[in-house]
């Protein structure tokens, strides 16, 4: 399916942010998202933006997963090796992923949708089935928590 091949990497990057770097869970979320998209493919002609809809399905799948009792189980171990990009700082990346991981799932979803996916407040609210006011409130609180978790370490890490 051409759509799946074209969107899988983007969905995976978003899923990694939602899962705070848990690549295995991110892969599972993308697989489930693409499976749901495949099941709906015959009715996709009624959807104006299939890529945006796929992101919405991914976020909803993540939030559903977090509500399950088994969602609190986390495997131990190191993050798998990844291809290094010369313009990325691994310490900064790990600090940001750790800080994202400390956020509540809905806070994390708001941060990813608003600031990683660059969605509007209304689009984020629609994806999460909440009001625009709830998204704005959650955004302010989530950013404050990120600043609290990162403290002065973000400035130190980004200076390298």
């Amino acid at each position: 399916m051409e759509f799946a091949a074209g969107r899988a990497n983007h969905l995976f990057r978003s899923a990694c942010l939602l899962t705070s770097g848990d690549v295995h869970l991110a892969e599972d979320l993308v697989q489930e998202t693409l499976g749901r998209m495949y099941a709906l493919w015959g009715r996709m002609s009624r959807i104006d933006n299939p890529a945006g809809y796929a992101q919405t399905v991914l976020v909803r799948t993540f939030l559903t997963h977090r509500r399950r009792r088994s969602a609190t189980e986390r495997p131990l171990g190191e993050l798998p090796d990844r291809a290094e990009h010369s313009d990325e700082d691994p310490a900064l990346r790990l600090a940001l992923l750790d800080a994202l991981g400390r956020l509540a799932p809905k806070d994390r979803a708001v941060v990813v949708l608003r600031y990683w996916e660059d969605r509007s407040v209304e689009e984020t609210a629609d994806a999460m089935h909440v009001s625009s006011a709830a998204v704005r409130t959650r955004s302010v609180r989530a950013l404050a928590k990120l600043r609290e978790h990162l403290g002065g370490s973000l400035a130190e890490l980004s200076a390298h």
Side-chain angles (χ1 to χ4, degrees):
M1 176 179 209
E2 192 174 316
F3 176 81
R7 294 301 301 167
N9 286 337
H10 185 78
L11 289 169
F12 179 71
R13 286 190 303 271
S14 295
C16 281
L17 290 171
L18 288 169
T19 63
S20 301
D22 184 342
V23 294
H24 301 291
L25 177 56
E27 289 170 347
D28 290 345
L29 292 173
V30 170
Q31 185 69 29
E32 190 169 339
T33 297
L34 292 174
R36 290 180 183 188
M37 294 295 292
Y38 180 77
L40 294 171
W41 197 251
R43 296 176 280 183
M44 290 300 286
S45 62
R46 290 184 267 163
I47 297 174
D48 293 335
N49 181 359
Y53 186 73
Q55 279 305 127
T56 299
V57 171
L58 175 69
V59 169
R60 289 179 185 165
T61 302
F62 165 72
L63 292 174
T64 298
H65 172 78
R66 295 301 302 168
R67 283 187 218 110
R68 293 183 198 139
R69 170 172 253 142
S70 65
T72 59
E73 298 174 6
R74 303 251 328 159
L76 299 176
E78 299 293 319
L79 289 173
D81 292 333
R82 294 189 180 140
E84 291 293 323
H85 300 287
S86 60
D87 60 339
E88 290 184 6
D89 181 3
L92 176 61
R93 181 184 184 92
L94 290 174
L96 290 173
L97 285 174
D98 180 58
L100 273 174
R102 293 175 184 225
L103 295 177
K106 288 184 180 180
D107 288 347
R108 196 174 325 144
V110 165
V111 169
V112 169
L113 288 171
R114 289 280 295 127
Y115 304 104
W116 173 259
E117 295 294 327
D118 198 28
R119 288 194 181 192
S120 69
V121 170
E122 292 75 21
E123 291 170 330
T124 302
D126 184 51
M128 295 181 64
H129 291 298
V130 297
S131 69
S132 296
V135 169
R136 285 190 289 276
T137 300
R138 202 169 278 279
S139 293
V140 169
R141 290 181 184 163
L143 291 175
K145 288 177 187 175
L146 282 175
R147 286 185 197 98
E148 179 183 312
H149 291 311
L150 291 168
S153 66
L154 185 61
E156 294 167 9
L157 289 170
S158 62
H160 289 115

